[in-house]
Amino acid sequence: MTRDAATTSRIMSAVRNRDTGPELRLRKELHRRGLRYRLHPRVFGRPDLVFPRAKVAVFVDGDYWHGNTWRIRGAKSFDAYFADRAHGDFWRDKISKNMARDEEVNQHLGQAGWRVLRIWESAVQANVENAADQVEHEVRERRGDARRGA
């Protein structure tokens, strides 16, 4: 099947990069637990959620766009997953660049004193409580350290 550029552009523009289902589920669970956060702030890398006082940045990463789908689908490796796919080289390169950018963001924020949490959309879908536990633990721990002056 061959698509023209306009059709591909229309399809890709419909892919959400914020307020996704998994992100909304995680936000709802965190709010239910009494945790308050900022959404899509002007912090390097544009995290999905931030807890400014605790300096915790949370990204809810899509499995496909950030390089986890091959694990979920049982491929032998990232490269093997794309080997037999239509336009496999293009998608492998695109997603590899996303993964490199993710690492750059992690390093930049880490050097600025932020704790970066990257949570797979599949982890939220499988068990939102476990995903929220990770975030809550980190936020409360870092807030506790801040209160003690450490």
Side-chain angles (χ1 to χ4, degrees), residues 66-134:
H66 295 269
N68 192 45
T69 299
W70 70 272
R71 290 182 186 96
I72 294 169
R73 301 227 172 131
K76 292 180 183 177
S77 69
F78 178 77
D79 290 332
Y81 179 75
F82 291 100
D84 296 332
R85 305 223 173 253
H87 309 288
D89 291 340
F90 170 82
W91 290 111
R92 185 190 65 241
D93 292 346
K94 178 173 182 50
I95 293 168
S96 292
K97 288 176 187 173
N98 290 350
M99 292 164 63
R101 186 183 65 242
D102 291 345
E103 186 55 38
E104 178 186 338
V105 167
N106 292 351
Q107 288 179 6
H108 181 89
L109 290 176
Q111 290 171 353
W114 288 85
R115 172 68 167 103
V116 178
L117 297 176
R118 290 194 173 268
I119 301 176
W120 294 115
E121 68 177 338
S122 58
V124 173
Q125 291 167 339
N127 192 326
V128 70
E129 291 83 10
N130 283 350
D133 286 347
Q134 292 174 30

Side-chain angles (χ1 to χ4, degrees), residues 22-39:
E23 183 185 330
L24 292 173
R25 288 185 65 204
L26 181 61
R27 284 169 24 191
K28 183 177 180 179
E29 178 63 21
L30 293 170
H31 193 273
R32 186 188 69 73
R33 294 175 183 211
L35 295 172
R36 301 301 180 255
Y37 43 80
R38 300 275 183 245
L39 296 177

Side-chain angles (χ1 to χ4, degrees), residues 38 41 43-52 54-60 105-106 109-110 113-119 135 138-139 142:
R38 300 275 183 245
V43 172
F44 186 81
R46 301 297 282 240
D48 296 313
L49 309 169
V50 295
F51 297 85
K55 289 193 91 170
V56 174
V58 180
F59 295 86
V60 180
V105 167
N106 292 351
L109 290 176
W114 288 85
R115 172 68 167 103
V116 178
L117 297 176
R118 290 194 173 268
I119 301 176
V135 176
E138 196 64 41
V139 169
R142 289 183 62 111

Side-chain angles (χ1 to χ4, degrees), residues 136-150:
E136 182 177 17
H137 172 77
E138 196 64 41
V139 169
R140 294 201 189 280
E141 184 175 292
R142 289 183 62 111
R143 283 182 183 167
D145 290 345
R147 279 191 223 126
R148 288 191 296 267

